[in-house]
Amino acid sequence: MSLAAYCLHFCLSLLPMQADREPVSTQDLLRDLASKDIQILQAARSQTLKLQPGPRVRLLIQGMQLENTKVAAWCALQLSWTELSNAEAPRFLELLWSQLTQPRTEADLEQFKSLLGTTEVGALLEKLPPSGNRDLPGKLLLTQLRFQLRPDHIPALCRIFLGEDLELANTALERICALLSCGDRYRDLIARTLLLRKAELDLRKARNAHGLGPTQSIVLPEKTDGYPPLLHACLVHFFDKEQVTLRGRPWKAQIDDWLWRWAREIRPGPSDRELLLKLLTCKQIPGENLALQGLGWVGKPVDRETIRSYGQSTPGGKLTAWASLVRLGDEKALQQLEERAASDVMALGFLLELAPKRARPLIEEVLREGSVSKVQEILNLPREDAALRLGITLRWDRDYAWLENLLRRGNIPILHRVALLVRVPAFRSQSLLFCLADAGLFRDLTAEETPALYQGDMVEFLALLETSSRRQARRFLEALAQHEEKSIRNYAVDMLLRLGAPGWEDRLIERVRWAQKANVDAQRILLGRTRTDKIRAWLTEIATSEETTSLSAMRGLGIACGLPAALTWLDEDDVLDEKDARHVLQALREDHAVEALLFWLQKSTALFPERPPAADLGLVKDPRITAFLVGLRNQRELGLYAWATGQLALQGHAEARAEQEAVLRIGRYRWIEEASAWSLLLDPDLSRLPDLVRKLENNGCAYASVTTMFEDLLGLDFENTGFYNTPQRMAVEWWKRSQGRLRYSHILDRYLIVAKSHRKSKKRDD
């Protein structure tokens, strides 16, 4: 047989095989998936799983909607939450739940909880399986649901806690305690629930790992003043050394902090005196400190020696004891507090609160001669965790006319005056800001003080100046760039890099040219903010003159050509080869920034198809980027549906915007957790902020991205929340202060509360 005839015979022999491999229609496959014939069913499942990713995912999503729950459940089990829309989520969750409760299930609990929303958890809490369930123990499920829980679920958790399933009750207690640091709602309900589980000492260890025994009735004290009866009973129960039920357990601290916040909001009354004296002996620091503070209000002269003696034995309690004695009229304690205030910032805080006239000379001395760090330590007292625990309630937003006088005309170092303006909310006025915005006041700065300039106070001062008058901020920095100290000149140029300074191209380029190796990439990117032909030409030269193409110079060039400064791209060395890099650079050189970005996005997606190609791509408002995002969103098999929806919503795409807002409303766990800060904020005008403030009341684990958004884009610091405050309450207070006064700063790359204007109307210049 000739070679040609053999080849023809071989090809003809393949024809039936090829015909067998032709895909059947979607309807035929779905019909076969519902077949009662085992062989047909297995063949249909095998063929479905062998489909290409795109057709396979589309078929499975379609199959998930079938009325045949057996077929629909199998289809759901083959899908990932990343491939589904918000509209498809309820059916997916319904099917997975039906499988999770089956023996020897193949369902993935991780997939279930990833898409489960906060508003959907309540129904599950009412039907938790018992702890003895081998396939899905209720304890395991409740632990996994911690990411979606919020204070709204506390009533259901309290019912579980009071139930007969002790293992489930322990887990419910842990979830309640975790929520105590998120908010202060349902105080009475939580207090009653905790007290109802109080039991006799001999039953604790035997019945419950947390020391909580069977339900008993509550006997509340009859009170008309001071602490409410429930708070009074809780303080006795949780701080009394004879009745502590959770000692040594990990959640004891959350209960302590919750009770502390509650007690700090209410001044004790005479009927609480006996309780406070008893708490002095509880051998627990929170209870002892609370007692020392409270006795300052309700103690009697006979209690002075008791307060003094316990203050000596309590860590940090000496200052708290002195403060209480001062409130009781003890002159000796006031003298001791004043002597200590000369060297102890905490004592100085107490003295300023209790005897302001005695404290002022000491503060003025620190402001004149102390270090910057010492001044910052004093100004931080209102939010310092250690100060709050000792009972210092100092607030700098009171009327301190004497302090403002020092800020305006006092003989104190300029950096101390900057710290006062930035850290004291009452001083954030344009009149004080412009008073300090005189480069001549900074002429005495030395090279040793340069590191302090890069710290938060000076940078925030410049940001306040920028958001009040960009022109004045630039004039100030240009004058500072003439300083006799080289390090201070460099600092001013660094800030001009962030601000953008046409006309200063030579100085800016020189600064970037000689930047330290660790900083050179960041400074090349910042250089793009000065969008002039000279900057574009220099960045183009740098991008082509090095042995390997400089991605940072190309990124800076993209910003110079109009791309948003917050956009992160060109951050992967292995995406572009040399030819591709030249193509991107040529597009940037011709001022076609979006074409260059699109080319890089397509290359990145081809190499890493299941990874978001660029952070906050939705900031680029261009129809070509919209089309690219729509394409990614439609390719469900990539697992980028949630990310692309968030970016399209950021662009203003109506359908995506509606879906993203629905997701935020429902609280879908992983969708929100993996969202970028800008795709949560959505509107640069901050119109969605009140909704996001409410999200902070949720369990922080699930809403880490919301917390990060507040920290990165709005500058809130939640470090000390939980003990004296909660993230949500702190954000609410911040929002009240900032109404109508939030502006975006390019120096800080975030929003900040601008300085108050005392004029009726003001034109802002850019």
Side-chain angles (χ1 to χ4, degrees):
M1 184 184 293
S2 67
L3 179 61
Y6 176 81
C7 290
L8 178 60
H9 174 76
F10 179 76
C11 291
L12 290 173
S13 69
L14 292 177
L15 285 177
M17 188 182 301
Q18 290 174 339
D20 290 342
R21 289 183 178 178
E22 288 181 2
V24 297
S25 70
T26 299
Q27 294 304 318
D28 289 341
L29 260 182
L30 291 174
R31 182 198 63 222
D32 291 348
L33 285 172
S35 175
K36 295 181 180 180
D37 188 307
I38 297 298
Q39 290 185 337
I40 295 175
L41 174 63
Q42 290 179 344
R45 289 183 175 183
S46 176
Q47 192 168 0
T48 299
L49 296 177
K50 289 178 181 178
L51 291 174
Q52 292 295 317
R56 175 177 55 80
V57 170
R58 288 193 293 272
L59 174 66
L60 291 171
I61 292 175
Q62 190 173 347
M64 192 177 67
Q65 306 299 333
L66 295 175
E67 292 182 5
N68 187 323
T69 55
K70 184 177 180 181
V71 178
W74 183 84
C75 291
L77 290 175
Q78 315 310 313
L79 289 165
S80 166
W81 75 269
T82 60
E83 298 162 341
L84 300 172
S85 70
N86 179 59
E88 294 152 357
R91 178 62 170 168
F92 177 75
L93 293 169
E94 175 192 353
L95 293 168
L96 253 61
W97 176 254
S98 70
Q99 295 300 302
L100 282 168
T101 53
Q102 297 298 318
R104 296 182 295 278
T105 181
E106 297 179 4
D108 187 349
L109 182 56
E110 182 66 29
Q111 290 292 332
F112 179 78
K113 75 172 186 180
S114 294
L115 203 53
L116 185 67
T118 294
T119 59
E120 298 163 330
V121 171
L124 289 182
L125 295 178
E126 300 298 331
K127 53 183 179 182
L128 287 176
S131 298
N133 187 310
R134 293 184 178 182
D135 299 298
L136 185 64
K139 177 180 178 180
L140 171 64
L141 181 59
L142 186 54
T143 300
Q144 293 297 315
L145 293 179
R146 66 188 183 276
F147 302 107
Q148 286 89 350
L149 294 176
R150 56 174 288 125
D152 290 333
H153 301 124
I154 285 176
L157 290 171
C158 287
R159 286 194 294 272
I160 297 170
F161 179 53
L162 294 173
E164 295 299 323
D165 189 328
L166 294 181
E167 286 192 30
L168 203 52
N170 290 340
T171 308
L173 172 63
E174 293 175 353
R175 298 300 100 226
I176 291 170
C177 289
L179 289 170
L180 293 182
S181 60
C182 300
D184 291 321
R185 289 196 285 146
Y186 297 106
R187 274 177 172 164
D188 286 2
L189 175 61
I190 294 170
R192 287 183 177 277
T193 302
L194 293 174
L195 291 170
L196 276 170
R197 293 294 292 202
K198 186 168 64 171
E200 297 177 5
L201 291 171
D202 59 346
L203 289 179
R204 292 177 191 159
K205 189 174 181 181
R207 291 295 305 275
N208 191 305
H210 283 283
L212 297 168
T215 300
Q216 291 186 350
S217 60
I218 309 174
V219 179
L220 297 177
E222 295 182 3
K223 297 176 86 275
T224 57
D225 64 338
Y227 297 144
L230 275 172
L231 174 58
H232 187 104
C234 281
L235 290 173
V236 171
H237 181 53
F238 289 103
F239 286 138
D240 190 309
K241 66 179 181 180
E242 297 299 328
Q243 298 188 29
V244 170
T245 57
L246 300 178
R247 181 178 297 182
R249 296 293 171 181
W251 301 107
K252 178 65 166 63
Q254 277 78 0
I255 294 179
D256 286 351
D257 291 350
W258 173 72
L259 285 174
W260 183 283
R261 288 198 305 272
W262 191 359
R264 284 292 299 271
E265 293 175 7
I266 304 167
R267 182 174 293 189
S271 63
D272 297 311
R273 175 175 167 270
E274 292 300 324
L275 166 65
L276 295 173
L277 288 171
K278 195 173 183 181
L279 289 180
L280 282 178
T281 65
C282 72
K283 304 300 181 185
Q284 297 181 73
I285 293 175
E288 291 174 345
N289 279 342
L290 187 64
L292 287 172
Q293 295 166 35
L295 287 170
W297 300 110
V298 300
K300 296 181 178 180
V302 71
D303 299 327
R304 291 185 182 183
E305 286 306 315
T306 303
I307 294 172
R308 195 183 303 276
S309 62
Y310 277 103
Q312 299 288 342
S313 61
T314 305
K318 184 180 291 186
L319 296 179
T320 307
W322 286 345
S324 294
L325 290 169
V326 170
R327 290 191 177 99
L328 293 175
D330 192 311
E331 185 63 30
K332 180 182 177 182
L334 181 57
Q335 293 174 358
Q336 291 173 316
L337 194 61
E338 186 174 5
E339 291 171 3
R340 178 66 70 86
S343 57
D344 188 317
V345 171
M346 298 296 176
L348 185 56
F350 270 126
L351 189 65
L352 184 59
E353 185 178 343
L354 299 170
K357 291 183 179 179
R358 296 196 185 198
R360 289 176 187 176
L362 297 173
I363 291 180
E364 291 178 14
E365 183 180 351
V366 172
L367 289 172
R368 283 195 301 268
E369 302 176 7
S371 63
V372 172
S373 61
K374 187 67 173 288
V375 172
Q376 292 174 345
E377 192 178 357
I378 291 174
L379 296 177
N380 281 345
L381 278 175
R383 57 177 181 269
E384 188 65 38
D385 184 66
L388 296 173
R389 287 186 183 273
L390 289 176
I392 297 175
T393 59
L394 176 68
R395 292 180 63 91
W396 287 111
D397 55 359
R398 294 171 184 162
D399 181 21
Y400 288 109
W402 61 277
L403 201 54
E404 181 178 342
N405 186 56
L406 283 175
L407 191 152
R408 286 183 180 276
R409 294 177 291 277
N411 184 24
I412 59 176
I414 185 60
L415 292 185
H416 294 183
R417 296 164 72 179
V418 167
L420 278 169
L421 184 138
V422 167
R423 293 174 184 255
V424 179
F427 294 163
R428 284 196 173 206
S429 68
Q430 289 185 357
S431 61
L432 291 173
L433 178 66
F434 295 149
C435 176
L436 297 187
D438 178 359
L441 298 176
F442 294 79
R443 62 179 176 272
D444 295 330
L445 289 179
T446 63
E448 289 74 19
E449 293 175 291
T450 305
L453 297 179
Y454 285 94
Q455 295 173 1
D457 287 346
M458 188 62 188
V459 177
E460 188 153 344
F461 167 77
L462 293 172
L464 285 169
L465 193 56
E466 171 204 357
T467 52
S468 295
S469 171
R470 188 182 179 97
R471 186 182 300 117
Q472 189 155 343
R474 183 174 166 182
R475 282 202 301 264
F476 172 79
L477 286 171
E478 288 173 351
L480 197 62
Q482 311 301 324
H483 199 279
E484 60 182 21
E485 287 288 349
K486 180 180 178 181
S487 60
I488 295 174
R489 294 199 300 272
N490 288 340
Y491 169 80
V493 176
D494 285 345
M495 294 300 109
L496 285 169
L497 270 172
R498 303 188 70 85
L499 192 61
W504 275 68
E505 292 89 347
D506 291 338
R507 287 285 298 275
L508 298 179
I509 290 171
E510 189 69 14
R511 178 64 176 151
V512 176
R513 191 193 305 276
W514 299 108
Q516 296 179 0
K517 188 174 181 179
N519 299 331
V520 65
D521 285 340
Q523 294 211 331
R524 286 174 178 176
I525 294 170
L526 288 173
L527 186 59
R529 298 185 180 191
T530 302
R531 293 168 168 158
T532 65
D533 292 340
K534 192 168 187 177
I535 293 298
R536 284 193 284 267
W538 188 82
L539 287 170
T540 301
E541 179 186 348
I542 290 298
T544 56
S545 63
E546 299 183 353
E547 293 183 5
T548 58
T549 305
S550 169
L551 296 183
S552 61
M554 291 170 66
R555 234 176 108 183
L557 187 56
I559 295 171
C561 292
L563 292 179
L567 177 67
T568 301
W569 68 300
L570 289 171
D571 56 344
E572 295 287 348
D573 293 329
D574 50 355
V575 170
L576 301 177
D577 58 23
E578 187 175 345
K579 180 181 177 181
D580 292 336
R582 286 199 300 270
H583 181 89
V584 170
L585 183 60
Q586 182 62 31
L588 290 172
R589 186 183 298 166
E590 295 173 0
D591 207 11
H592 297 153
V594 175
E595 286 87 340
L597 174 61
L598 271 173
F599 182 84
W600 183 84
L601 289 171
Q602 290 160 357
K603 287 289 181 179
S604 179
T605 304
L607 284 172
F608 310 106
E610 297 181 355
R611 188 176 69 188
D616 292 314
L617 186 58
L619 291 171
V620 184
K621 306 296 174 62
D622 187 280
R624 292 162 293 183
I625 299 299
T626 302
F628 174 79
L629 288 169
V630 169
L632 288 185
R633 186 170 179 248
N634 290 336
Q635 296 180 67
R636 298 290 190 90
E637 67 275 11
L638 297 179
L640 296 176
Y641 185 89
W643 174 82
T645 299
Q647 299 307 307
L648 285 167
L650 180 57
Q651 279 197 329
H653 187 282
E655 179 190 341
R657 174 65 181 258
E659 184 168 14
Q660 184 79 348
E661 289 184 344
V663 165
L664 292 172
R665 204 163 45 245
I666 296 168
R668 302 215 177 277
Y669 163 43
R670 291 284 294 280
W671 190 312
I672 295 177
E673 187 183 55
E674 297 183 8
S676 66
W678 282 106
S679 66
L680 292 174
L681 193 59
L682 287 181
D683 294 313
D685 65 0
L686 308 180
S687 60
R688 290 204 69 260
L689 261 185
D691 293 332
L692 293 173
V693 167
R694 286 190 286 272
K695 291 291 183 189
L696 289 171
E697 199 178 29
N698 290 60
N699 192 335
C701 297
Y703 289 86
S705 54
V706 177
T707 304
T708 300
M709 186 276 296
F710 272 94
E711 292 174 343
D712 293 349
L713 289 183
L714 301 168
L716 270 74
D717 180 8
F718 298 119
E719 183 179 356
N720 288 333
T721 56
F723 166 67
Y724 182 68
N725 215 339
T726 64
Q728 196 258 358
R729 185 191 295 179
M730 182 178 177
V732 167
E733 293 172 356
W734 168 86
W735 179 245
K736 288 179 180 177
R737 292 200 314 269
S738 63
Q739 292 269 3
R741 292 174 50 214
L742 285 169
R743 301 284 186 278
Y744 190 82
S745 164
H746 296 279
I747 289 177
L748 282 177
D749 284 329
R750 65 169 174 82
Y751 290 87
L752 82 162
I753 302 175
V754 300
K756 290 181 180 179
S757 172
H758 295 297
R759 287 177 284 181
K760 292 183 179 179
S761 63
K762 179 182 182 296
K763 293 182 179 180
R764 294 180 65 249
D765 56 273
D766 296 319

